Amino acid sequence: MPSKTHQRTRSDHASEVAEDYVEAIADAIAQRGVCRAVDLVNQFAVTHATVNNTIGRLQRDGLVQTEPYQPIELTAKGKRLATQSRKRHEIVEAFLRRLGVSEQTAAADTEGIEHHVSKETLAAMKRVLTKGWPE
């Protein structure tokens, strides 16, 4: 039987794509007022088929709404997930920058860490950012 650590890692991996996509959709809508499949193709450097399959899963899970050849919209559930993902992303990246990690490396590392950081660790990172290092 797998350990709880490995179970959590597998669960984190399962939600990574959904979190990345809803965050990208929210960003596209904020920047351009609309998100189309081609925006995600370009963002993630994947095929239209990959984006269509992923959007289908997100729609099945109640995170997005769309019709063929129409823009992709976030549902209320999708907006909540996008907001949570964005906040987690910002905290992790700011923490890495506080450690002295370069902007480019912090941006790249955040893409992986943000999906696996526990609530406890995220809260500790946030405390360091707001109150400084513990004595």
Side-chain angles (χ1 to χ4, degrees), residues 17-75:
V17 172
E19 291 173 357
D20 284 343
Y21 268 71
V22 297
E23 195 174 341
I25 293 165
D27 289 346
I29 292 169
Q31 292 169 7
R32 294 182 287 285
V34 68
C35 180
R36 299 197 177 273
V38 69
D39 298 324
L40 301 173
V41 166
N42 294 332
Q43 169 84 21
F44 296 114
V46 296
T47 65
H48 278 279
T50 298
V51 167
N52 290 338
N53 289 337
T54 303
I55 293 301
R57 285 192 301 278
L58 296 177
Q59 197 164 16
R60 178 200 68 206
D61 294 343
L63 298 169
V64 302
Q65 300 178 139
T66 190
E67 295 294 328
Y69 308 105
Q70 295 300 310
I72 302 161
E73 298 177 11
L74 293 171
T75 63

Side-chain angles (χ1 to χ4, degrees), residues 7-17 19 115-117:
Q7 287 173 337
R8 181 173 152 228
T9 300
R10 276 196 294 284
S11 174
D12 291 346
H13 280 301
S15 65
E16 278 181 54
V17 172
E19 291 173 357
H115 300 293
H116 300 280
V117 66

